[in-house]
Amino acid sequence: MQFSKWQGLGNDFVLIDDLNNEIADPGVLGQQLCDRHFGIGADGLLLIRSSAVADFYMLIINSDGTIAEMCGNATRCFAKHLRKYGYTDKTTISLETPAGIMITEVLADGRVRVDLGAPQYRDDSIGVAIVVEGREFIVNDISMGNPHCVIFTDDAETIDLTYWGSRIETHPLFPQKTNVEFVKVIDRNNLRMRVWERGCGITLACGTGSAAALVAAALTDNSEKTATINLDGGQLELEWATDGHIFKTGPAVEVFRGELTIESYQV
């Protein structure tokens, strides 16, 4: 079985063709392939499947074997792969996900622009105080098809992501768990973000998390509706457009291709 390894700002994925739905247990396979010591190593596994309502279906498996509703960096990598290996000659590609249909556009400079749709939030989910192990955090609960908890702090560079991210992820306020973003406002057009991803842990970038950060910053008057999100893996350009949708533009790079030794993995 052939695979490709892709990364978007260091958020990395193993990508496999499963158009015939031959992989019986994607969760187990995802855990095996994403293991950085015994597998290929990745934040997630992406499976290409057919769709009745879009050009393709993108199944996203986190490194812990759980299904992710949506992943912005994965979407860019997925679209670039489809173009590079002749699955489609379109530059605008629709992808079905558990979070809905995402529209991707492969740009002439090689970057990919993704319409992430409209954010979902309530007025009473913005600026909520929670206490975790005696420490108060002001959180902004926003969904981009998957859940995000955005926290503004001047301590984004040095905060213990593993310690606090894992504990906030499982706070009772988030019954389905949540992604956790620590964000420092640089100025009204630049945000610095570090992320703890639900089902993955620390990653170098998160596209939907960047979108949630922009929404939270704009709602709290910390930024304009267009901003650069500065991540550990690089920069994403985000725009909260007049139609209410969030548009994200950034790179996607293939790292290598290979062949799985089938007997070594549960497929």
Side-chain angles (χ1 to χ4, degrees):
M1 179 184 293
Q2 296 290 320
F3 72 90
S4 289
K5 174 76 179 288
W6 287 78
Q7 61 88 7
L9 298 181
N11 196 191
D12 56 345
F13 307 95
V14 176
L15 203 151
I16 293 176
D17 184 328
D18 191 35
L19 285 173
N20 295 322
N21 293 317
E22 295 174 340
I23 296 174
D25 196 335
V28 171
L29 183 62
Q31 286 180 298
Q32 292 174 328
L33 296 185
C34 291
D35 189 292
R36 296 190 184 276
H37 299 286
F38 296 100
I40 298 166
D43 293 322
L45 169 66
L46 308 180
L47 298 183
I48 303 171
R49 291 185 166 178
S50 59
S51 171
V53 295
D55 292 322
F56 297 92
Y57 188 96
M58 179 176 67
L59 181 63
I60 310 165
I61 308 296
N62 292 320
S63 59
D64 69 353
T66 57
I67 294 176
E69 300 94 337
M70 175 54 186
C71 175
N73 292 321
T75 304
R76 297 198 315 278
C77 293
F78 201 87
K80 282 285 290 288
H81 181 92
L82 294 173
R83 282 275 299 170
K84 180 172 182 176
Y85 291 105
Y87 287 88
T88 180
D89 59 1
K90 296 180 178 180
T91 55
T92 299
I93 307 165
S94 60
L95 302 177
E96 182 185 359
T97 74
I101 296 175
M102 304 296 154
I103 305 300
T104 65
E105 182 184 0
V106 181
L107 304 178
D109 63 6
R111 295 184 303 161
V112 181
R113 187 172 190 256
V114 183
D115 180 350
L116 294 172
Q120 299 173 21
Y121 58 89
R122 302 185 315 274
D123 288 343
D124 61 2
S125 69
I126 305 301
V128 178
I130 65 172
V131 177
V132 180
E133 296 195 359
R135 179 172 175 176
E136 183 179 83
F137 293 92
I138 305 300
V139 305
N140 300 278
D141 182 9
I142 294 166
S143 173
M144 291 302 308
N146 55 353
H148 293 276
C149 170
V150 179
I151 299 169
F152 293 104
T153 177
D154 290 331
D155 194 28
E157 297 290 353
T158 58
I159 195 164
D160 189 335
L161 272 180
T162 299
Y163 187 87
W164 292 112
S166 62
R167 285 157 176 77
I168 295 170
E169 174 191 4
T170 56
H171 188 276
L173 182 64
F174 312 110
Q176 303 302 315
K177 300 185 181 180
T178 189
N179 300 282
V180 184
E181 290 83 25
F182 294 97
V183 180
K184 179 179 180 178
V185 178
I186 300 172
D187 57 45
R188 294 190 63 81
N189 293 109
N190 286 276
L191 304 174
R192 172 70 171 112
M193 187 184 101
R194 298 179 68 215
V195 60
W196 172 271
E197 288 201 51
R198 178 187 63 163
C200 295
I202 296 173
T203 61
L204 297 181
C206 179
T208 53
S210 296
L214 176 68
V215 170
L219 289 174
T220 56
D221 198 29
N222 278 303
S223 80
E224 304 298 332
K225 289 191 172 183
T226 299
T228 298
I229 314 299
N230 298 272
L231 302 143
D232 286 344
Q235 295 181 329
L236 287 174
E237 304 299 326
L238 272 293
E239 177 190 3
W240 192 358
T242 55
D243 65 359
H245 286 214
I246 304 290
F247 291 86
K248 172 182 63 70
T249 303
V253 178
E254 186 177 36
V255 180
F256 59 85
R257 285 177 60 79
E259 185 171 349
L260 295 177
T261 305
I262 298 298
E263 60 266 27
S264 299
Y265 299 100
Q266 176 65 49
V267 295

